[in-house]
Amino acid sequence: MNTHVNPPARIGEPLSRVDGRLKVTGHARYAAEHPVADLLYGWVVSSSIAKGRITAIDEDAARAVAGVVEIITHKNRPDLAKADSAYQEQVAPPGKPFRALYDDEVQYSLQPVALVVAQDLETARYAASLIKVDYEAAEHNTDFRIAQGERFMPRRKRAAYQPPKNRGDVDTAFAEAVHQIAGTYHLATHVHNPMEMHATTVVWEGDERITVYDKTQGSQNTQTYLANVFGFKKENIRVLNPFVGGAFGSGLRPQYQAYLATMAAKMLERSVRLVMTRPQMFSHVHRPEALQAVSLATDAQGHLTGMRTEATTATSRFENYMETVVNWGLMAYACPNAEADYTIAPVDSYTPGDMRAPGAATGMTLFEIAMDEMAYEANVDPLEFRLINYSEKDAMHDTPYTSKALKEAYAEGAAKFGWDSRSMAPRSMRDGSELVGWGVATGMWDAMFQKTSARARLSANGDLLLETAASDIGTGTYTILAQIASDTLGIPVEQISVKIGDSDLPMSPIEGGSWTAASAGAAIEATCQSLGKKLFEAAQKVKNSPLADAKIDDVRFDYGRLLSKTDPDKSVSYGEAMAAAGEVSIEAEETVSAGISGMISQMRKSRNTHSAVFAEVKVDEELGVVRVTRVVCAVAAGRIINPKTARSQILGGVVMGIGMGLHEETFVDHRLGRIMNHDLAEYHVPANADIHDIEVIFVDEPDPEVTPMGVKGVGEIGIVGTAAAVANAIFHATGKRLRDLPITIDKILE
């Protein structure tokens, strides 16, 4: 064995990001950074009304500006697909998808009503400011509470929506309960504000061919969408998204900048770049506002006997967006009588969409605040209350889990946090002028697996190329794929190249739902195993091969060699094997999917990640200022491929959870139907000063059933329950039960 070469990376090692140097040196190019010759720039003109129609557009002053190439409106746009189905890409909810510049109708504030295309960005922006649009305004409603009068459940459900499954006799349970609580909990609208704004660069290649650099979580989804809408042949569109500067669901659907940039490129037969402004980032997908009523009942010992939860979330008027909101409590806790109901309420806005842990971040969080309230009503420690009502199985579906190490997460998290030193009474812990509170909450998310393909090519010099169309939105996909291949084939990471984010590559699903590590990882592992079999066959062709009589299970792949497990001195290098086979490279491609047996298994067992979140807050008694001084998040998420990148994902989720608890909300002037804090100066997210100590614990949770590699994914679980732990800690500190997130100073001082 050559010990002078770098050792292969192993699954479970904290490998640093293989793309890290590219990012910190600025060599990683994002959607609006790719150099393109003869490039035009677009600027969107946004509507100033929330509902109505356009009666006139005065373009004369704008067209007179030197450098303006074209102004596109509904009056002169090119022909587009007419059927709704052409616009309904992979994750579109039921309804009539939005079509920018399609007609004179205005459906929401900041809707695109014109696109200025010019020779440079500054000219496009200036000319856009000169366009005057006249409207005939119609009556609108953007007030979610008023919209409650229109709430409904659509006949056609979103594919991702899972209806709740009720059990028992809830009315009798509440009639006989010793303790019970009832409350309505509220979550404000959250808007996507990733570091990279939504942007698209369309390169006109001629002959009805385009290359599209897009901020998207699914290059192949965007490819299909653009082909369907604009009539391109699918093979004539190549979509690239090698680097994505944060997305968290905002890039699941193709956003309107991709649509408009492609429209302009086709109309002008020129290359076009379009970047949303920060205010325009508030004009598309967002986490919907939610109201959730929760009633809980217990016996004298604190065992849950009745559970009822009813939730409503906002949707647009043209699409019916739904999330799985009310199921989580019914699944998580042992309670013989439980029921839930869910509806959506239409407002005049753009359609909401998935935002990190959609449904769970809302429903589980609000339910966990109610659980804390019930614990105090029953006079049981909040952690002990959850343990008393712990369910070893999925209580809603009455199915076992492939694995559930939540008890271990509770124990390890509580020990690290020091929960046993907590006093029960609110306002009983202090640090000088600050009230101290400790809160706990449970997190829960799905562990999903999607059909994925991958290709690998090994060259005679030992270099390995991995290819799949998967995306990396900052989660570490490049790194874990290289790590899995390195572990499987025994090749140092330095000799592995990962190519992703390209619609021309083997099929991969949209990046989302925490399934990428499990799905793309399994595809890479299967492909490398297939390539290993070809190497083994080639090694047996080596003259006087020491492995001639071996079987593939008798060898291991390490340091670029096939070695006998019983006698490492018997080995063949990859180069020798390939030379014997007369190959300069060996290639393999595999597809992994659950299959029929896997789908049957998924119906028989539940697949979920779990977490226990402990939070400490300090509240200034006079000013009401809250500091989250400590968070411990203990996570049970199956096999952890890379604890370094996984920890980073949990840290990010916890920070977003703190933002959910204390900061994030939109303010709408309902008279105008317009978000008033549509910029990063007024839309508050946690800053460095808001974040203190965060401890992440990964609980050992072997799970050979959940996915091919035993991976559950960690992108979402970090946010679920975090805001509830913070809210519960604020109650413990102040004695004031606040059911409206975010919890701001004014609410504490009321």
Side-chain angles (χ1 to χ4, degrees):
M1 183 187 303
N2 183 3
T3 57
H4 296 292
V5 299
N6 291 326
R10 302 301 181 192
I11 292 175
E13 290 181 0
L15 180 68
S16 295
R17 292 174 184 260
V18 299
D19 55 331
R21 182 175 293 275
L22 285 175
K23 289 183 174 179
V24 300
T25 58
H27 287 85
R29 295 190 186 276
Y30 295 82
E33 296 182 327
H34 297 273
V36 177
D38 195 27
L39 184 65
L40 300 178
Y41 294 82
W43 194 273
V44 173
V45 178
S46 304
S47 70
S48 59
I49 66 169
K51 191 174 184 179
R53 67 182 188 90
I54 300 166
T55 57
I57 301 177
D58 185 350
E59 309 170 6
D60 292 346
R63 287 189 177 275
V65 175
V68 170
V69 176
E70 184 58 274
I71 297 172
I72 306 173
T73 70
H74 67 280
K75 295 182 177 181
N76 67 337
R77 61 161 177 80
D79 288 338
L80 299 167
K82 294 180 172 58
D84 289 335
S85 58
Y87 300 81
Q88 290 173 324
E89 31 64 47
Q90 291 180 28
V91 294
K96 298 177 69 64
F98 173 67
R99 315 176 190 193
L101 311 188
Y102 193 79
D103 52 29
D104 64 359
E105 184 181 6
V106 176
Q107 300 180 83
Y108 67 95
S109 178
L110 290 182
Q111 173 182 315
V113 294
L115 176 67
V116 177
V117 184
Q119 293 177 353
D120 57 69
L121 183 66
E122 292 76 12
T123 299
R125 178 173 58 188
Y126 172 65
S129 72
L130 301 178
I131 293 178
K132 293 181 170 54
V133 183
D134 294 331
Y135 303 95
E136 181 182 286
E139 186 177 351
H140 67 267
N141 176 51
T142 52
D143 191 327
F144 179 58
R145 294 184 185 271
I146 292 176
Q148 296 300 298
E150 298 181 66
R151 64 184 185 271
F152 69 103
M153 171 51 68
R155 290 183 179 180
R156 184 183 167 206
K157 311 295 192 299
R158 187 184 186 216
Y161 169 69
Q162 300 176 30
K165 185 178 180 181
N166 300 334
R167 60 185 184 265
D169 183 348
V170 174
D171 290 338
T172 300
F174 277 92
E176 297 175 353
V178 177
H179 305 289
Q180 59 180 282
I181 62 104
T184 299
Y185 305 82
H186 174 253
L187 179 69
T189 302
H190 294 170
V191 175
H192 283 285
N193 275 288
M195 291 179 67
E196 181 195 15
M197 294 174 288
H198 278 274
T200 302
T201 302
V202 180
V203 184
W204 184 260
E205 308 284 7
D207 195 26
E208 291 289 306
R209 300 179 67 90
I210 58 173
T211 298
V212 181
Y213 296 96
D214 188 37
K215 181 190 174 73
T216 176
Q217 291 172 247
S219 60
Q220 291 167 335
N221 186 38
T222 298
Q223 177 195 39
T224 302
Y225 171 81
L226 295 177
N228 290 342
V229 170
F230 294 102
F232 289 103
K233 293 180 180 178
K234 190 174 179 180
E235 59 269 24
N236 287 352
I237 301 177
R238 184 184 183 191
V239 178
L240 296 149
N241 63 327
F243 294 100
V244 182
F248 309 106
S250 66
L252 292 177
R253 304 184 69 178
Q255 298 302 334
Y256 66 71
Q257 92 289 337
Y259 168 102
L260 290 174
T262 304
M263 176 188 289
K266 181 173 183 179
M267 181 174 176
L268 302 172
E269 298 189 351
R270 295 277 300 276
S271 299
V272 178
R273 175 171 293 160
L274 179 57
V275 182
M276 286 191 188
T277 65
R278 277 293 169 195
Q280 287 166 354
M281 290 293 291
F282 289 72
S283 67
H284 57 91
V285 63
H286 53 276
R287 192 192 302 278
E289 188 171 0
L291 282 170
Q292 183 162 316
V294 181
S295 301
L296 299 173
T298 72
D299 61 17
Q301 290 74 41
H303 297 101
L304 284 166
T305 57
M307 183 187 299
R308 179 183 287 122
T309 178
E310 299 174 349
T312 304
T313 57
T315 188
S316 68
R317 293 198 184 275
F318 48 90
E319 289 178 304
N320 295 329
Y321 175 77
M322 296 176 288
E323 298 182 339
T324 299
V325 176
V326 297
N327 298 8
W328 305 99
L330 275 65
M331 295 168 63
Y333 296 107
C335 178
N337 309 290
E339 66 180 26
D341 190 32
Y342 172 62
T343 53
I344 55 176
V347 292
D348 293 304
S349 75
Y350 187 79
T351 306
D354 295 349
M355 188 173 187
R356 203 173 201 162
T362 299
M364 191 70 178
T365 292
L366 299 180
F367 188 87
E368 282 295 298
I369 299 173
M371 282 290 288
D372 193 77
E373 194 166 341
M374 187 70 252
Y376 270 90
E377 180 67 24
N379 196 30
V380 179
D381 173 83
L383 177 57
E384 180 62 23
F385 183 65
R386 287 165 173 80
L387 289 168
I388 288 173
N389 293 289
Y390 190 89
S391 179
E392 294 288 355
K393 63 181 180 179
D394 176 340
M396 186 178 78
H397 298 103
D398 195 29
T399 51
Y401 291 101
T402 57
S403 63
K404 183 181 181 181
L406 178 57
K407 274 188 178 178
E408 292 79 357
Y410 283 141
E412 293 184 34
K416 187 69 178 180
F417 191 80
W419 186 264
D420 58 356
S421 299
R422 179 186 188 272
S423 60
M424 180 72 174
R427 302 183 65 89
S428 59
M429 298 171 66
R430 303 184 67 94
D431 181 7
S433 62
E434 292 179 305
L435 299 167
V436 177
W438 289 2
V440 65
T442 303
M444 191 173 180
W445 181 244
D446 296 314
M448 293 178 278
F449 177 68
Q450 303 284 339
K451 183 178 180 180
T452 307
S453 300
R455 183 167 54 236
R457 185 174 70 249
L458 179 66
S459 300
N461 64 359
D463 290 344
L464 179 67
L465 173 64
L466 308 174
E467 296 180 311
T468 179
S471 304
D472 187 342
I473 63 173
T475 51
T477 305
Y478 282 100
T479 306
I480 62 165
L481 296 187
Q483 192 165 357
I484 291 166
S486 182
D487 185 82
T488 305
L489 287 175
I491 297 174
V493 166
E494 292 77 12
Q495 290 182 253
I496 299 175
S497 299
V498 179
K499 188 176 181 182
I500 60 176
D502 184 340
S503 61
D504 283 356
L505 297 179
M507 181 277 301
S508 182
I510 295 170
E511 199 280 350
S514 296
W515 60 58
T516 298
S519 307
I524 290 294
E525 182 183 55
T527 301
C528 288
Q529 289 170 344
S530 181
L531 194 150
K533 290 177 182 177
K534 293 184 178 182
L535 270 177
F536 175 71
E537 292 169 359
Q540 291 188 309
K541 297 178 182 178
V542 172
K543 186 176 181 179
N544 300 320
S545 173
L547 304 177
D549 298 326
K551 296 180 180 179
I552 192 165
D553 291 339
D554 299 330
V555 303
R556 61 186 176 90
F557 301 84
D558 214 354
Y559 285 87
R561 304 184 72 83
L562 295 94
L563 303 101
S564 168
K565 290 180 179 178
T566 57
D567 185 359
D569 289 334
K570 293 182 178 181
S571 68
V572 175
S573 74
Y574 296 168
E576 291 173 318
M578 294 168 70
E583 302 285 356
V584 295
S585 66
I586 296 179
E587 187 172 301
E589 183 169 339
E590 295 291 340
T591 298
V592 295
S593 65
I596 296 175
S597 61
M599 289 187 286
I600 293 172
S601 174
Q602 288 177 22
M603 291 186 287
R604 292 174 177 171
K605 288 191 176 183
S606 294
R607 290 158 160 74
N608 293 93
T609 54
H610 296 87
S611 67
V613 190
F614 299 83
E616 175 185 81
V617 302
K618 294 185 178 180
V619 183
D620 187 293
E621 191 169 15
E622 293 184 358
L623 301 178
V625 175
V626 178
R627 295 189 301 131
V628 181
T629 47
R630 284 193 301 138
V631 174
V632 173
C633 186
V635 178
R639 187 183 190 189
I640 303 299
I641 297 174
N642 184 325
K644 192 172 190 177
T645 55
R647 176 179 179 271
S648 177
Q649 286 301 290
I650 300 300
L651 290 176
V654 168
V655 171
M656 288 185 75
I658 291 171
M660 175 183 281
L662 298 179
H663 302 278
E664 289 200 52
E665 62 181 323
T666 60
F667 294 97
V668 179
D669 185 331
H670 296 302
R671 298 169 301 174
L672 303 174
R674 193 175 185 86
I675 296 173
M676 305 309 292
N677 59 329
H678 58 300
D679 57 59
L680 287 186
E682 299 295 337
Y683 183 85
H684 294 168
V685 295
N688 286 351
D690 298 305
I691 304 303
H692 297 272
D693 293 336
I694 302 174
E695 182 78 22
V696 178
I697 298 169
F698 289 112
V699 176
D700 184 38
E701 189 184 48
D703 191 334
E705 296 182 75
V706 64
T707 60
M709 295 185 66
V711 173
K712 289 186 172 182
V714 295
E716 259 93 352
I717 188 62
I719 191 175
V720 183
T722 297
V726 171
N728 296 340
I730 290 173
F731 169 76
H732 183 232
T734 65
K736 189 166 189 176
R737 181 65 68 185
L738 296 168
R739 299 168 173 164
D740 185 7
L741 298 181
I743 297 174
T744 49
I745 292 172
D746 56 311
K747 296 171 186 174
I748 292 173
L749 294 179
E750 280 181 354

